[in-house]
Protein backbone atom coordinates (compact mmCIF):
# COMPACT_ATOMS: atom_id res chain seq x y z
CA UNK A 1 0.00 0.00 0.00
CA UNK A 2 1.03 3.60 -0.56
CA UNK A 3 2.94 5.07 2.36
CA UNK A 4 5.07 8.10 3.05
CA UNK A 5 6.92 7.95 6.35
CA UNK A 6 8.69 10.95 7.82
CA UNK A 7 11.64 11.29 10.16
CA UNK A 8 11.15 12.09 13.83
CA UNK A 9 10.82 15.13 16.05
CA UNK A 10 13.54 17.76 15.87
CA UNK A 11 14.59 20.53 18.24
CA UNK A 12 16.82 23.34 16.98
CA UNK A 13 18.14 26.65 18.21
CA UNK A 14 17.39 29.87 16.34
CA UNK A 15 19.69 30.31 13.36
CA UNK A 16 20.22 26.58 12.86
CA UNK A 17 18.96 24.37 10.03
CA UNK A 18 16.82 21.26 10.00
CA UNK A 19 16.44 18.52 7.39
CA UNK A 20 13.32 16.35 7.38
CA UNK A 21 13.06 13.17 5.34
CA UNK A 22 10.08 11.52 3.68
CA UNK A 23 10.45 7.88 2.62
CA UNK A 24 8.04 6.53 0.03
CA UNK A 25 6.82 3.01 -0.52
CA UNK A 26 4.09 1.22 -2.43
CA UNK A 27 4.28 3.35 -5.59
CA UNK A 28 6.70 4.36 -8.33
CA UNK A 29 8.39 7.32 -6.65
CA UNK A 30 9.66 8.95 -9.84
CA UNK A 31 6.15 9.19 -11.33
CA UNK A 32 4.94 11.65 -8.71
CA UNK A 33 5.53 14.98 -7.05
CA UNK A 34 6.25 15.40 -3.35
CA UNK A 35 4.89 18.47 -1.62
CA UNK A 36 5.96 19.95 1.70
CA UNK A 37 3.36 21.66 3.88
CA UNK A 38 3.63 23.01 7.41
CA UNK A 39 1.14 23.79 10.15
CA UNK A 40 2.08 26.07 13.02
CA UNK A 41 0.09 25.66 16.25
CA UNK A 42 -3.49 26.77 15.65
CA UNK A 43 -2.70 28.00 12.14
CA UNK A 44 -3.81 27.05 8.66
CA UNK A 45 -1.87 24.65 6.48
CA UNK A 46 0.91 26.39 4.54
CA UNK A 47 2.43 25.04 1.33
CA UNK A 48 6.20 25.39 1.15
CA UNK A 49 7.14 23.82 -2.17
CA UNK A 50 7.27 20.67 -4.24
CA UNK A 51 9.67 18.51 -6.14
CA UNK A 52 9.11 16.44 -9.26
CA UNK A 53 10.60 13.19 -7.98
CA UNK A 54 11.40 12.09 -11.52
CA UNK A 55 13.21 15.15 -12.85
CA UNK A 56 14.23 16.78 -9.60
CA UNK A 57 12.62 20.07 -10.66
CA UNK A 58 11.43 22.16 -7.74
CA UNK A 59 9.03 25.01 -7.09
CA UNK A 60 9.06 26.99 -3.85
CA UNK A 61 6.74 29.41 -2.15
CA UNK A 62 8.20 32.90 -2.35
CA UNK A 63 7.76 33.14 1.42
CA UNK A 64 10.45 30.50 1.95
CA UNK A 65 12.65 31.13 -1.06
CA UNK A 66 16.27 31.27 -0.04
CA UNK A 67 15.64 29.34 3.17
CA UNK A 68 14.08 26.09 1.95
CA UNK A 69 15.66 23.41 -0.20
CA UNK A 70 13.75 20.33 -1.35
CA UNK A 71 15.72 17.42 -2.76
CA UNK A 72 15.21 13.75 -3.46
CA UNK A 73 17.30 10.59 -3.61
CA UNK A 74 15.73 8.17 -6.07
CA UNK A 75 17.88 5.26 -4.91
CA UNK A 76 16.67 5.78 -1.36
CA UNK A 77 13.11 6.55 -2.52
CA UNK A 78 13.21 9.53 -0.18
CA UNK A 79 12.51 13.23 -0.42
CA UNK A 80 14.03 15.82 1.88
CA UNK A 81 13.13 19.30 3.03
CA UNK A 82 15.82 21.48 4.57
CA UNK A 83 14.91 24.78 6.23
CA UNK A 84 17.70 27.12 7.26
CA UNK A 85 18.04 30.25 9.41
CA UNK A 86 15.38 28.92 11.74
CA UNK A 87 13.39 31.27 13.94
CA UNK A 88 10.79 30.67 16.61
CA UNK A 89 7.98 31.24 14.08
CA UNK A 90 9.16 28.14 12.21
CA UNK A 91 7.98 25.93 15.08
CA UNK A 92 5.41 23.75 13.38
CA UNK A 93 4.48 20.28 12.23
CA UNK A 94 5.98 19.67 8.79
CA UNK A 95 4.24 17.27 6.41
CA UNK A 96 5.23 15.73 3.13
CA UNK A 97 2.47 14.63 0.78
CA UNK A 98 2.39 12.88 -2.57
CA UNK A 99 1.16 15.05 -5.44
CA UNK A 100 -1.02 13.25 -7.98
CA UNK A 101 -2.84 13.98 -11.19
CA UNK A 102 -2.75 17.02 -13.42
CA UNK A 103 -3.81 19.14 -10.47
CA UNK A 104 -1.16 17.69 -8.11
CA UNK A 105 -3.69 17.09 -5.34
CA UNK A 106 -2.18 15.82 -2.10
CA UNK A 107 -3.42 12.25 -1.90
CA UNK A 108 -1.13 10.57 0.63
CA UNK A 109 0.40 12.38 3.58
CA UNK A 110 3.20 11.58 5.94
CA UNK A 111 2.50 11.43 9.64
CA UNK A 112 4.10 14.82 10.26
CA UNK A 113 7.35 15.91 11.88
CA UNK A 114 7.32 18.36 14.77
CA UNK A 115 10.12 20.90 14.53
CA UNK A 116 10.58 23.07 17.60
CA UNK A 117 12.80 26.14 17.42
CA UNK A 118 13.78 27.37 20.85
CA UNK A 119 16.80 28.86 22.53
CA UNK B 1 -1.33 34.83 -4.04
CA UNK B 2 -4.82 33.36 -4.33
CA UNK B 3 -6.78 33.77 -1.10
CA UNK B 4 -9.14 30.98 -0.06
CA UNK B 5 -12.03 31.98 2.19
CA UNK B 6 -14.07 29.31 3.93
CA UNK B 7 -17.38 29.68 5.69
CA UNK B 8 -18.47 29.09 8.29
CA UNK B 9 -15.35 28.96 10.44
CA UNK B 10 -17.16 26.65 12.84
CA UNK B 11 -20.38 24.70 12.73
CA UNK B 12 -22.37 22.71 15.27
CA UNK B 13 -24.46 19.89 13.89
CA UNK B 14 -26.03 16.60 14.90
CA UNK B 15 -25.54 13.06 13.65
CA UNK B 16 -27.72 12.59 10.59
CA UNK B 17 -27.69 16.28 9.59
CA UNK B 18 -26.87 17.50 6.10
CA UNK B 19 -23.98 19.96 6.20
CA UNK B 20 -22.56 22.29 3.57
CA UNK B 21 -19.23 24.12 3.78
CA UNK B 22 -18.36 26.80 1.27
CA UNK B 23 -15.03 27.98 -0.10
CA UNK B 24 -14.44 31.05 -2.22
CA UNK B 25 -11.28 31.80 -4.19
CA UNK B 26 -10.07 35.37 -4.70
CA UNK B 27 -9.82 34.68 -8.44
CA UNK B 28 -10.95 31.94 -10.77
CA UNK B 29 -9.23 28.61 -10.16
CA UNK B 30 -11.26 26.57 -12.67
CA UNK B 31 -11.72 23.21 -10.91
CA UNK B 32 -8.32 23.08 -9.19
CA UNK B 33 -9.87 22.69 -5.76
CA UNK B 34 -9.41 19.96 -3.16
CA UNK B 35 -11.02 19.30 0.21
CA UNK B 36 -9.29 17.72 3.20
CA UNK B 37 -10.43 16.46 6.58
CA UNK B 38 -8.13 16.77 9.57
CA UNK B 39 -8.58 15.31 13.03
CA UNK B 40 -6.57 16.51 16.05
CA UNK B 41 -2.97 15.35 16.01
CA UNK B 42 -3.34 13.72 12.60
CA UNK B 43 -2.32 14.56 9.05
CA UNK B 44 -4.98 15.88 6.69
CA UNK B 45 -6.87 13.30 4.64
CA UNK B 46 -7.92 13.97 1.03
CA UNK B 47 -11.68 13.79 0.47
CA UNK B 48 -12.34 15.47 -2.89
CA UNK B 49 -10.08 16.69 -5.73
CA UNK B 50 -10.71 18.63 -8.96
CA UNK B 51 -13.72 20.10 -7.15
CA UNK B 52 -15.98 17.06 -7.46
CA UNK B 53 -13.93 13.86 -7.76
CA UNK B 54 -14.25 11.65 -4.69
CA UNK B 55 -10.96 10.16 -3.50
CA UNK B 56 -10.95 6.36 -3.37
CA UNK B 57 -12.14 4.99 -0.03
CA UNK B 58 -14.00 8.15 0.96
CA UNK B 59 -17.66 7.49 1.84
CA UNK B 60 -20.22 8.57 -0.74
CA UNK B 61 -21.93 10.86 1.79
CA UNK B 62 -19.17 13.36 0.94
CA UNK B 63 -19.52 15.34 -2.27
CA UNK B 64 -17.99 18.43 -3.79
CA UNK B 65 -19.20 20.90 -6.38
CA UNK B 66 -18.39 24.22 -7.98
CA UNK B 67 -15.98 25.81 -10.41
CA UNK B 68 -14.41 29.20 -10.97
CA UNK B 69 -14.46 30.93 -7.60
CA UNK B 70 -17.24 29.24 -5.59
CA UNK B 71 -17.14 25.71 -4.22
CA UNK B 72 -19.01 23.59 -1.71
CA UNK B 73 -18.37 20.43 0.27
CA UNK B 74 -21.52 18.62 1.35
CA UNK B 75 -21.87 15.82 3.87
CA UNK B 76 -25.28 14.28 3.26
CA UNK B 77 -25.78 12.56 6.62
CA UNK B 78 -23.27 13.30 9.36
CA UNK B 79 -21.67 10.36 11.10
CA UNK B 80 -19.84 10.51 14.45
CA UNK B 81 -16.47 10.09 12.74
CA UNK B 82 -17.06 13.19 10.58
CA UNK B 83 -16.55 15.66 13.41
CA UNK B 84 -13.24 17.25 12.41
CA UNK B 85 -11.79 20.31 10.71
CA UNK B 86 -12.20 20.69 6.95
CA UNK B 87 -9.90 22.64 4.64
CA UNK B 88 -10.19 23.67 1.03
CA UNK B 89 -7.04 24.14 -1.05
CA UNK B 90 -6.32 25.49 -4.52
CA UNK B 91 -3.70 24.04 -6.85
CA UNK B 92 -4.34 26.39 -9.76
CA UNK B 93 -1.21 28.43 -9.17
CA UNK B 94 1.67 28.51 -6.75
CA UNK B 95 1.86 29.16 -3.90
CA UNK B 96 -0.85 26.57 -3.37
CA UNK B 97 -3.05 27.98 -0.62
CA UNK B 98 -5.48 26.61 1.94
CA UNK B 99 -8.53 28.03 3.61
CA UNK B 100 -8.55 28.76 7.33
CA UNK B 101 -10.64 25.70 8.00
CA UNK B 102 -14.13 24.86 9.18
CA UNK B 103 -14.38 23.13 12.53
CA UNK B 104 -17.36 20.79 12.62
CA UNK B 105 -18.52 20.10 16.15
CA UNK B 106 -21.21 17.96 17.72
CA UNK B 107 -24.33 19.85 18.75
Amino acid sequence: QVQVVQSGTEVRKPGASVKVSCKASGFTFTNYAIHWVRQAPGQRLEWMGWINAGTGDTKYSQKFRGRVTITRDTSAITAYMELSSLRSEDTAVYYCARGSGYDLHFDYWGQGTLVTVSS
Amino acid sequence: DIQMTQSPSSLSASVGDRVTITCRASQSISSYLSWYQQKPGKAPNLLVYTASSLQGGVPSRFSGSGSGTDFTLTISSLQPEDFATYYCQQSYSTPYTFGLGTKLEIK
Side-chain angles (χ1 to χ4, degrees), chain A residues 57-79:
Chain A
D57 291 342
T58 54
K59 184 89 172 181
Y60 300 120
S61 169
Q62 186 73 32
K63 176 176 179 177
F64 301 99
R65 197 156 295 174
R67 288 207 301 142
V68 67
T69 305
I70 299 173
T71 57
R72 97 290 191 220
D73 180 339
T74 56
S75 62
I77 325 175
T78 301

Side-chain angles (χ1 to χ4, degrees), chain A residues 1-60:
Chain A
Q1 72 282 23
V2 173
Q3 277 194 298
V4 283
V5 179
Q6 299 180 222
S7 49
T9 298
E10 302 275 10
V11 179
R12 293 287 186 274
K13 294 191 183 304
S17 297
V18 68
K19 190 170 186 177
V20 180
S21 67
C22 173
K23 184 169 178 62
S25 62
F27 64 97
T28 302
F29 182 63
T30 51
N31 286 351
Y32 292 87
I34 298 292
H35 296 278
W36 287 90
V37 175
R38 77 177 188 181
Q39 189 171 35
Q43 302 298 308
R44 77 172 79 195
L45 296 155
E46 185 173 35
W47 178 81
M48 301 177 70
W50 67 270
I51 187 166
N52 179 319
T55 65
D57 291 342
T58 54
K59 184 89 172 181
Y60 300 120

